Amino acid sequence: MHAEDAPEQVTSARGASGADRFVLLGPGAARPGRVPLPPAFAVKATTADTGGRLSLLEVTLARDIPRHTHHRADECVYVLDGTLDIEFDDRTHSAPRGTFALLPRGVPHALRRASDPPPRVLQISSPGGWECYVEDLVEAGPAVLTDGELDPVKINPIAARHHIEYETRP
């Protein structure tokens, strides 16, 4: 089968051999979730798909992500297009297309747009759960924003349920 012939979405359920978790997504396809996500987010593998081990999303960074810490999950980011600035360990690193970053749990970091159009990345969370957090933020809507930007004080009650903590300014 050629890539252009790939189905939009195929799942297979053929028993307990692991084939029951097989997922094949065609170009532009995404896994359905609890709530519809904006076009900036495409879930490729859910936590349920991987038995809790990871979740994988394709994300266009429409807004800068303030400094925060994941207390349970490691986060991996691979830049597909554009340039991402990653603040990690009190340094800012430029991450152009093709760059990979492992952001270990317990270490504060921030992600910022450094290109126009904004960067597009693959984001892996291990263990999984990232898509659930994104769904919770989407459900909260503009209530987590101040002047169009993500507000750490408003996000923290939602983030805490997912073992994430955003730094707040004194």
Side-chain angles (χ1 to χ4, degrees), residues 35-67:
V35 299
L37 297 180
F41 298 95
V43 177
K44 302 300 184 176
T46 67
T47 303
D49 292 335
T50 66
R53 288 180 287 284
L54 65 93
S55 55
L56 171 67
L57 283 75
E58 183 177 330
V59 178
T60 300
L61 198 70
R63 290 187 170 89
D64 292 343
I65 309 299
R67 192 171 163 93

Side-chain angles (χ1 to χ4, degrees), residues 32-159:
R34 189 180 82 247
V35 299
L37 297 180
F41 298 95
V43 177
K44 302 300 184 176
T46 67
T47 303
D49 292 335
T50 66
R53 288 180 287 284
L54 65 93
S55 55
L56 171 67
L57 283 75
E58 183 177 330
V59 178
T60 300
L61 198 70
R63 290 187 170 89
D64 292 343
I65 309 299
R67 192 171 163 93
H68 62 285
T69 303
H70 299 259
H71 294 291
R72 185 174 284 172
D74 289 333
E75 181 179 8
C76 298
V77 178
Y78 181 81
V79 181
L80 296 169
D81 289 309
T83 302
L84 178 70
D85 276 351
I86 302 169
E87 180 189 316
F88 183 85
D89 200 23
D90 295 324
R91 289 186 50 209
T92 299
H93 306 270
S94 179
R97 180 180 183 195
T99 301
F100 169 81
L102 169 62
L103 305 167
R105 67 180 163 263
V107 182
H109 61 277
L111 305 174
R112 295 188 185 88
R113 300 161 293 177
S115 63
D116 187 22
R120 189 171 58 94
V121 304
L122 285 179
Q123 186 173 33
I124 301 168
S125 175
S126 177
W130 189 249
E131 80 282 10
C132 302
Y133 174 56
V134 170
E135 289 171 341
D136 287 353
L137 286 178
V138 167
E139 281 185 319
V144 298
L145 304 176
T146 297
D147 298 327
E149 296 297 324
L150 295 171
D151 185 326
V153 172
K154 295 177 180 178
I155 293 173
N156 271 334
I158 297 167

